[in-house]
Amino acid sequence: MAENVSTDPAPKRDPSPKRAPGNSGSHPEAESITPLSVGEVDDAASLAIDQKHMEDFASPDLEPGTVECLRPPKGAFFTVMPEKANERWQNRAYYFVLEMNDRDPYLVAKPVADAKKDEEDTIRPILLVRFVLMNGTEGLWPVKLNPPDGKTNKWNTSAMNVLRIAESGKWVRIISKGEYRYNVSGKTMEQVPPKFSDRTFQQLVNEAFPADRVIRSLDHPIWEELAHGSTK
Amino acid sequence: MITCQRAVFPDSEFDAKKGRGERPGFPHCICAIEVFPDGSEIEHRLAPPYPERLPWNRGDPYVTFGFALGAEAGSYKHAGYALPSPAIDLYAEYMVLHNTEMCRGDDGKEPGPSLIKACRRYGVPTMDPAYKEQMRALAYTKAKLTPEELTALQDYCLDDDCRSGLRLFRAMRPHLDLARAPIRGAAMMQLEMMRWRGMPIDVPLYRRAEHNAAAIAMKMRHELNRKLNFEIFYSGIFKRAAVFRMMQQRGIPIPVDPKTKKLSCSTRLIKPMIETYPEMKIFYEDKRMLDAFTRLGLEIGTDDRHRTWANPFGTKTGRNNPSTKALWGLPHTMRSFMRPSAPGMAIAQIDVGAEHVGIAAALSGDPVLMADYLTGDPYRQFAVAALGIANPTAVQRQVYKACVLGRIFGMGAETLARNLGISRSQAQRILDQMAARYPVLQAWLERILVKAAHLVPIIATLGWSLTASGTGADERTFLNFPMQANDGELLRLVFARAGDLPIIGCAHDSFILEDRIDRIEQTVWKMQEIIRAASRDLLGGFELRVDFKPSEDLTVYPDRFIDKRERDDGMRHWNWLMQLIEEAEFDESERSGGRGRVDGSLDEGLLQAAETDNDANLEEAAAAAAFEI
């Protein structure tokens, strides 16, 4: 067996240690890392973090990712941009969407929606609203509208109410209990400023609805599928 | 806090003997970089025979750093050195710092990083993976190295592993919690010591089960179809749709998986229903056994001990996440393959009683829940109060237990109704009773959700944390995160303090120890004290209950270990398993005309196992008789 090639146990400082021919190279850095103060196992009682803690910082910035057309998640606070008197419809707009079970929705061009409105009840008008979570994740909230026949739906009505609270400069969280209720965060916009990205509303819509999810004509295959079914 | 003037970055090269159930091999070399306050360094290269004392152990305090320090713990043990303290494991710290990031994928948490991956994450120059593989192959395949090979391995060990560790520390340092990191470091090494000790297995019996696993599984499928009077296995293939049909026909609600939103009969979702629906109990228990038999493959070393990686920090709550092939990952019935290793030895199981309820009581500060917990049976106390009776039945207690546990795991009225076979309004009434009895707990759970919704980290007592993703699944995650994450913290603190106590296994709320009969009770007492003290330290002085009854929780050679649930069930499944093994062996013997195995490949090991069959049967009978008494 190889001999013991240990260095001498006595403290022997070597300011220019012998370079070894390893793969990543031996490059001792000048900046010292010691002395270091570290905890001890027996200190656990004093080191235990009080579980009543409430941090007052927001999460780190996240790069904008994909955009989804979904109701804001129930587990997170969100806010929306308010409408300015002279600059309306910059961050929300009415659209027609075609919704089918277990499928992502389609946007339907207005002329097509008008042409199909009597035969397809899967097309409905919605208000798409840009929202942002506290971590900077943006999305499009499809707020369903009450039908023009005067029959209101409490989900639709309560969603509009939540929207109004959010646009009044609050962080809100949706809670579903027979209708949409909400929780207003104790954090103000000053404490946690909303991090809307530089993308325009139209860019977000285009990301949420790529070309294959926009119906612009009456010969789109979806009509055939709706009329005669599909094995997909 | 302790101030260390020196830092040491050791590493060692050895055959890890992965997947074989063996202890790691004797180290070919132990190297280290020792760093002094003026920035100077000493590079140490050790090889067998190792000196009595590590050359960097100079009597004054120093802090040891490593990446996956458990590996070094084995080398220290082989060379006869005490485990270093204080020690900081950069693998553990990486897991603490990046848990949320690692949980972001659709497929659950990513596995922990290698040293190379961690270095890349921090932009630290590191070795070429191919070179690492080449050096690892050298350490794994050669028992005796030439002087040139030893030098090459030491160069690699020192200049790549140790140096990468030092660089990684420099990069991670601004983010490290140096106060709490040594607790995790000590726990990582003690978890490795648990693997080092291993669980003693009745190998002859286990090999019989393993050898006949396919035949046993086939019999189990037939038997399950017969017991349920429904063909849920068709030509040996499990038919989920058939289970749904059976449940529908019998008026049993089918669970919906909260993640996929689809109907599911996974054993995870069926488990809470088994006390309500007898058919589902049969399905759950037998299906789990069957699944276990289809992947049976305990890693058992040549010393007849089972060793497996605990995968510390492997879940998003920071708890261990061992392989489903580990003995403790198998159905509780199969834990009886474990038995004390030799005459004079005993195994003890220690449980932290109603751990999650205790943690919830302590952290929420709910005085009623604390008082109920301290009675020893919080579920019974709740049933007494809710029903207004002095002596609730076992079923009534079970209902209120399901409610308490369900609520702190984010369960709503619909799921509770399904699990208990009651109407939604009845379930809601029970949940309302709980909210009325434990208003402080209720408000605390709500506050956690509100905090999580701000997408800020929720931090457990020793620093483990998780940040919500902003998806719908967050609510359930964060309702139980404080309980699960803190039981993980508690387990690590217990391990860090257990030192040389002979722990051979653990679940999140229980510990298995093996020791000589004459000192096992003393060992158990020490362990209980450590757990109690750790709970007081982490839970603001609140002490969790630590259960151990010698009459039930102590197994003395030659008896085999029996899980409490199996014992309460009259050993029904174990006896059935023994019967299936014997039937499978009989069938095989019949097929081969009573001349041994059909394929004729009877090897030495199996012959030995066959010879010990009779002894095993006799021991089984003795164990069963002992139990009856």
Side-chain angles (χ1 to χ4, degrees):
Chain A
M1 198 48 94
E3 62 176 312
N4 183 350
V5 289
S6 165
T7 50
D8 191 320
K12 194 170 79 177
R13 316 275 177 93
D14 181 0
S16 55
K18 188 182 163 193
R19 194 179 188 290
N23 180 259
S24 64
S26 172
H27 302 292
E29 274 89 350
E31 188 195 340
S32 177
I33 56 170
T34 56
L36 284 171
S37 286
V38 300
E40 292 179 276
V41 172
D42 288 339
D43 293 343
S46 60
L47 294 173
I49 298 166
D50 185 351
Q51 294 295 279
K52 290 184 173 57
H53 62 96
M54 292 294 281
E55 294 89 342
D56 51 5
F57 51 87
S59 60
D61 289 347
L62 292 178
E63 292 298 317
T66 54
V67 176
E68 287 192 296
C69 178
L70 281 175
R71 183 191 62 217
K74 284 189 276 184
F77 285 98
F78 73 96
T79 192
V80 303
M81 282 192 186
E83 286 279 89
K84 293 176 187 167
N86 52 346
E87 284 181 19
R88 299 191 70 203
W89 308 111
Q90 299 300 305
N91 287 292
R92 63 183 68 180
Y94 290 109
Y95 283 92
F96 286 99
V97 294
L98 188 155
E99 288 182 319
M100 293 155 68
N101 281 346
D102 300 326
R103 300 275 291 267
D104 290 334
Y106 288 85
L107 271 193
V108 183
K110 186 170 184 305
V112 179
D114 287 343
K116 286 281 184 183
K117 69 180 176 189
D118 293 332
E119 55 186 276
E120 278 303 341
D121 62 357
T122 50
I123 301 174
R124 59 183 305 163
I126 52 146
L127 177 64
L128 268 190
V129 184
R130 176 183 198 164
F131 69 88
V132 69
L133 306 183
M134 284 183 165
N135 65 358
T137 302
E138 289 184 298
L140 295 170
W141 181 13
V143 183
K144 290 175 183 165
L145 304 172
N146 280 323
D149 59 11
K151 284 184 190 169
T152 57
N153 169 315
K154 62 181 177 180
W155 290 99
N156 299 348
T157 307
S158 56
M160 287 302 287
N161 289 339
V162 176
L163 174 60
R164 282 190 202 103
I165 301 296
E167 69 186 4
S168 69
K170 301 272 198 306
W171 285 107
V172 296
R173 180 167 75 101
I174 287 179
I175 298 162
S176 306
K177 279 192 179 166
E179 61 181 350
Y180 290 128
R181 297 183 187 181
Y182 61 89
N183 224 199
V184 177
S185 168
K187 299 286 178 196
T188 63
M189 291 289 158
E190 288 70 36
Q191 288 173 303
V192 186
K195 288 173 276 191
F196 284 102
S197 68
D198 293 336
R199 291 176 291 184
T200 64
F201 177 67
Q202 195 53 51
Q203 279 176 313
L204 296 184
V205 174
N206 291 345
E207 284 184 35
F209 295 95
D212 63 343
R213 302 219 69 80
V214 181
I215 302 169
R216 299 176 194 280
S217 69
L218 293 169
D219 58 1
H220 192 282
I222 195 71
W223 306 124
E224 176 70 16
E225 204 177 304
L226 284 167
H228 304 294
S230 164
T231 54
K232 282 181 191 173
Chain B
M1 299 288 278
I2 181 171
T3 300
C4 301
Q5 297 296 325
R6 294 176 295 121
V8 177
F9 294 77
D11 192 56
S12 58
E13 302 305 326
F14 55 90
D15 178 1
K17 302 187 180 178
K18 280 185 182 167
R20 288 183 266 163
E22 301 284 3
R23 283 179 177 169
F26 195 85
H28 295 296
C29 62
I30 299 176
C31 298
I33 299 174
E34 184 180 8
V35 185
F36 293 86
D38 62 2
S40 63
E41 296 175 357
I42 294 179
E43 294 182 341
H44 298 273
R45 295 159 176 263
L46 308 185
Y50 291 103
E52 258 182 45
R53 201 176 67 156
L54 285 166
W56 52 87
N57 182 2
R58 306 180 191 284
D60 60 319
Y62 63 94
V63 54
T64 302
F65 289 93
F67 191 87
L69 266 175
E72 271 50 74
S75 293
Y76 273 49
K77 190 84 180 162
H78 268 305
Y81 302 131
L83 298 183
S85 176
I88 293 176
D89 189 332
L90 297 178
Y91 174 87
E93 298 315 298
Y94 185 101
M95 299 297 267
V96 170
L97 289 169
H98 300 291
N99 181 44
T100 298
E101 172 186 318
M102 294 165 80
C103 294
R104 287 284 193 240
D106 292 337
D107 301 325
K109 187 168 175 175
E110 279 181 34
S114 62
L115 174 59
I116 292 177
K117 190 176 170 187
C119 285
R120 285 180 180 159
R121 171 71 177 69
Y122 279 85
V124 171
T126 186
M127 70 205 93
D128 174 9
Y131 173 62
K132 186 175 183 70
E133 282 310 311
Q134 185 192 337
M135 289 295 110
R136 189 176 270 179
L138 182 61
Y140 282 18
T141 53
K142 297 204 77 172
K144 191 163 184 172
L145 303 177
T146 64
E148 293 75 25
E149 286 169 335
L150 177 63
T151 303
L153 209 52
Q154 286 178 324
D155 285 347
Y156 156 74
C157 182
L158 189 64
D159 228 32
D160 290 289
D161 275 341
C162 299
R163 185 66 59 190
S164 294
L166 171 53
R167 287 179 180 147
L168 182 61
F169 168 68
R170 285 183 189 278
M172 290 176 76
R173 184 177 177 178
H175 314 283
L176 292 178
D177 175 0
L178 293 176
R180 299 173 186 89
I183 296 174
R184 289 184 279 273
M188 288 292 279
M189 290 187 287
Q190 290 301 338
L191 277 166
E192 185 58 27
M193 286 300 99
M194 177 177 78
R195 175 158 65 163
W196 173 278
R197 295 179 197 107
M199 288 179 171
I201 299 292
D202 179 353
V203 172
L205 180 64
Y206 171 75
R207 294 291 179 217
R208 287 171 62 198
E210 194 179 51
H211 172 69
N212 292 294
I216 291 169
M218 195 168 72
K219 282 173 181 288
M220 282 180 168
R221 290 186 193 104
H222 286 302
E223 190 66 1
L224 186 51
N225 280 354
R226 189 192 64 75
K227 284 180 188 170
L228 295 173
N229 195 22
F230 215 94
E231 204 164 57
I232 63 166
F233 285 96
Y234 183 76
S235 295
I237 296 167
F238 178 60
K239 297 289 178 188
R240 206 170 40 163
V243 179
F244 293 158
R245 266 201 311 279
M246 179 194 78
M247 294 173 78
Q248 219 162 20
Q249 283 178 17
R250 296 176 189 181
I252 302 171
I254 304 170
V256 175
D257 190 317
K259 281 186 185 161
T260 62
K261 311 287 181 207
K262 290 180 179 168
L263 294 178
S264 170
C265 57
S266 76
T267 48
R268 177 176 55 88
L269 295 171
I270 296 294
K271 187 181 176 187
M273 303 166 66
I274 61 177
E275 297 305 327
T276 308
Y277 303 101
E279 297 101 318
M280 299 322 290
K281 184 168 186 171
I282 294 169
F283 170 78
Y284 170 79
E285 291 175 344
D286 288 17
K287 180 73 168 44
R288 281 201 73 213
M289 287 269 278
L290 183 49
D291 290 346
F293 262 90
T294 55
R295 56 163 194 266
L296 199 59
L298 290 185
E299 294 168 7
I300 302 173
T302 46
D303 58 356
D304 289 356
R305 298 184 84 93
H306 166 55
R307 296 185 178 86
T308 189
W309 187 44
N311 190 5
F313 308 101
T315 67
K316 61 184 168 187
T317 57
R319 304 204 296 192
N320 298 342
N321 189 17
S323 150
T324 50
K325 283 188 172 182
L327 184 65
W328 242 241
L330 299 179
H332 60 256
T333 301
M334 294 163 82
R335 295 177 183 179
S336 291
F337 282 123
M338 179 170 74
R339 72 171 181 190
S341 53
M345 297 300 286
I347 289 175
Q349 178 171 15
I350 300 172
D351 288 335
V352 184
E355 185 179 30
H356 283 171
V357 177
I359 293 175
L363 297 184
S364 67
D366 190 309
V368 181
L369 187 58
M370 283 167 136
D372 284 357
Y373 178 81
L374 292 173
T375 65
D377 190 346
Y379 315 121
R380 185 180 177 281
Q381 290 303 113
F382 179 26
V384 166
L387 298 169
I389 54 175
N391 290 306
T393 64
V395 174
Q396 287 168 328
R397 178 186 174 278
Q398 184 61 30
V399 166
Y400 286 90
K401 177 180 178 180
C403 175
V404 173
L405 291 178
R407 183 68 190 105
I408 59 178
F409 274 85
M411 189 187 288
E414 202 162 314
T415 309
L416 185 65
R418 186 187 68 218
N419 292 347
L420 296 177
I422 56 179
S423 70
R424 196 180 183 287
S425 61
Q426 286 172 314
Q428 188 57 56
R429 194 158 55 83
I430 296 173
L431 286 171
D432 291 345
Q433 284 175 329
M434 182 171 165
R437 183 163 178 80
Y438 307 119
V440 179
L441 171 76
Q442 191 75 11
W444 179 71
L445 291 171
E446 289 298 328
R447 281 204 305 277
I448 291 167
L449 291 186
V450 170
K451 182 180 173 189
H454 282 79
L455 306 184
V456 292
I458 302 290
I459 305 171
T461 43
L462 292 176
W464 184 258
S465 75
L466 182 67
T467 304
S469 61
T471 64
D474 281 342
E475 192 163 314
R476 285 173 66 91
T477 300
F478 282 96
L479 269 177
N480 65 53
F481 181 82
M483 276 60 81
Q484 293 205 26
N486 280 307
D487 86 38
E489 303 278 42
L490 179 70
L491 181 128
R492 282 187 285 277
L493 182 57
V494 168
F495 265 93
R497 289 176 171 176
D500 290 332
L501 288 186
I503 305 172
I504 57 169
C506 68
H508 70 91
D509 59 353
S510 71
F511 299 86
I512 309 292
L513 298 98
E514 187 187 31
D515 210 339
R516 288 195 334 241
I517 293 170
D518 61 327
R519 66 179 180 203
I520 186 83
E521 296 210 20
Q522 177 71 5
T523 300
V524 165
W525 179 82
K526 284 183 191 166
M527 189 69 186
Q528 286 177 301
E529 285 302 303
I530 288 170
I531 299 169
R532 289 188 191 113
S535 69
R536 286 195 303 272
D537 285 354
L538 296 191
L539 303 176
F542 190 78
E543 188 176 283
L544 294 181
R545 209 178 67 231
V546 187
D547 299 335
F548 173 76
K549 287 185 193 160
S551 59
E552 293 178 6
D553 301 322
L554 190 64
T555 308
V556 175
Y557 183 91
D559 291 349
R560 62 183 67 256
F561 177 87
I562 302 169
D563 187 271
K564 284 190 186 85
R565 289 160 289 184
E566 185 65 23
R567 179 180 283 120
D568 292 346
D569 211 14
M571 301 293 290
R572 198 161 49 88
H573 284 91
W574 179 256
N575 292 336
W576 180 46
L577 181 58
M578 292 304 104
Q579 184 192 327
L580 289 175
I581 293 174
E582 282 171 19
E583 285 177 9
E585 287 173 341
F586 178 77
D587 292 348
E588 187 181 36
S589 153
E590 285 290 294
R591 280 197 305 277
S592 60
R595 295 188 307 275
R597 294 176 64 210
V598 184
D599 61 9
S601 61
L602 212 55
D603 60 30
E604 200 63 32
L606 288 172
L607 261 177
Q608 222 169 12
E611 282 162 9
T612 54
D613 281 357
N614 288 335
D615 289 341
N617 290 340
L618 282 174
E619 281 160 14
E620 275 303 306
F627 171 68
E628 282 163 16
I629 293 161

